[in-house]
Amino acid sequence: MPATTRVSLLSLCLLLLIGCAALPPGKRDPRDPWERMNRTTYRFNDKFDRAIAQPVARGYRKTPRFVQTGVHNFFTNVDYPIVMVNDLLQGQLKPFVSDTARLLLNTTIGIGGLLDPATAAGLARNDRDLGQTLGKWGVRKGPYLVVPFLGPSDVRDAFGRLGDDFATPRHYIRNPYWDYGLYLLEVIDSRSRLLDATKLLESAYDPYAFMRNAYLQNRDFKVNGGRGQSEEDRQEKLLEQSGEDDSAPSGSGTSPPPSSAPQPPPAAPGGPH
């Protein structure tokens, strides 16, 4: 059974066992009808992150920079068929051709993806997934959902993660040592790249609401448009604005209508797609 599927099934079991959490005063966010359960899951993820994930990620940060870059490039490359499949599902034929060339170039000249000659050659790296594709098809995102270990999501993206799992070659690894080993290494690499963002999250008045707003804005942005460098700059500005909004003790956790959105800093390491 693939690693993502195992974690997802475990997450569903944990959701049934989680108790209730106290809610802050103020108006409830209509996007988060399961807030009581989600806050409990968030606290569970946060404790796991502080006790295990962050210390391991900090240790990984001490390895040579070229090693970290190679590991990150490798996992980006090996999971890149997810992007290509969703190119086709979204009818993006030109990006599909570019992404196919990118995968071939990095796999061959890039020594299995450890290097990234495709970027130097002018082939941009796209970011598409099944949750985004379903959104473009008109499927509603459903309630906000915090998944144990995996962090913020919504109902649509939760199903999208399961579907994306079948598009990556790692789904078909039958050796448990390689399967678990690669999964664990990617989790560590992903978490290490978000250590700096953790400081921003912890400085928010309500870290849970901050993460929720950032995640939902980011997903709405990915469904409603592509991403360019100037758009990424606007994401950074919205990230600062979101932090200012959540620093006020309103307790509402609501956010302004998103036109673009920042990347959410997760409370716990996310798994592979």
Side-chain angles (χ1 to χ4, degrees):
M1 185 182 295
T4 301
T5 305
R6 285 192 294 268
V7 173
S8 300
L9 292 176
L10 175 61
S11 300
L12 292 176
C13 293
L14 288 173
L15 285 173
L16 299 177
L17 299 175
I18 289 175
C20 295
L23 296 177
K27 184 179 178 181
R28 301 277 76 81
D29 191 321
R31 303 170 301 176
D32 189 7
W34 302 334
E35 183 175 355
R36 190 180 300 274
M37 176 187 69
N38 284 335
R39 283 185 178 272
T40 302
T41 311
Y42 172 83
R43 287 204 298 268
F44 169 81
N45 286 349
D46 185 59
K47 290 180 180 179
F48 174 82
D49 186 55
R50 292 173 185 271
I52 299 177
Q54 287 190 38
V56 174
R58 292 192 185 98
Y60 177 76
R61 273 273 186 99
K62 298 179 181 179
T63 60
R65 187 65 182 175
F66 74 89
V67 173
Q68 299 177 48
T69 300
V71 169
H72 183 70
N73 288 343
F74 171 78
F75 284 116
T76 298
N77 189 67
V78 77
D79 287 338
Y80 211 63
I82 294 174
V83 176
M84 296 163 57
V85 168
N86 284 283
D87 282 338
L88 292 177
L89 292 176
Q90 294 180 26
Q92 302 287 340
L93 298 182
K94 186 176 180 180
F96 173 75
V97 173
S98 174
D99 288 333
T100 301
R102 180 182 177 84
L103 178 67
L104 293 175
L105 186 60
N106 281 351
T107 302
T108 54
I109 299 178
I111 315 176
L114 294 176
L115 305 177
D116 185 16
T119 297
L123 297 174
R125 179 167 66 89
N126 291 310
D127 182 15
R128 293 188 174 91
D129 54 64
L130 186 56
Q132 179 197 63
T133 298
L134 293 174
K136 288 184 176 293
W137 287 355
V139 177
R140 295 185 177 181
K141 58 187 175 185
Y144 177 69
L145 176 65
V146 180
V147 183
F149 300 110
L150 298 181
S153 182
D154 56 46
V155 173
R156 182 183 65 202
D157 288 346
F159 283 101
R161 287 180 178 180
L162 292 175
D164 283 334
D165 190 55
F166 290 92
T168 174
R170 287 189 291 158
H171 173 83
Y172 305 97
I173 296 177
R174 294 295 176 258
N175 186 313
Y177 297 102
W178 280 100
D179 188 13
Y180 284 105
L182 289 173
Y183 172 72
L184 181 60
L185 182 57
E186 183 180 28
V187 168
I188 294 172
D189 175 72
S190 298
R191 188 63 189 91
S192 70
R193 291 176 173 271
L194 292 167
L195 286 175
D196 295 334
T198 302
K199 299 177 182 178
L200 178 63
L201 177 66
E202 293 174 346
S203 66
Y205 172 77
D206 185 352
Y208 170 83
F210 177 84
M211 178 188 294
R212 176 185 61 200
N213 294 343
Y215 179 83
L216 293 176
Q217 287 180 24
N218 174 66
R219 295 305 296 176
D220 286 343
F221 172 73
K222 290 187 67 175
V223 169
N224 294 328
R227 299 180 61 180
Q229 185 60 44
S230 60
E231 291 163 340
E232 291 178 356
D233 293 339
R234 291 198 296 270
Q235 286 184 9
E236 293 297 328
K237 294 180 180 179
L238 274 176
L239 183 60
E240 297 175 359
Q241 295 173 2
S242 181
E244 293 174 357
D245 291 341
D246 287 322
S247 64
S250 62
S252 64
T254 57
S255 62
S259 58
S260 61
Q263 293 287 348
H273 292 287

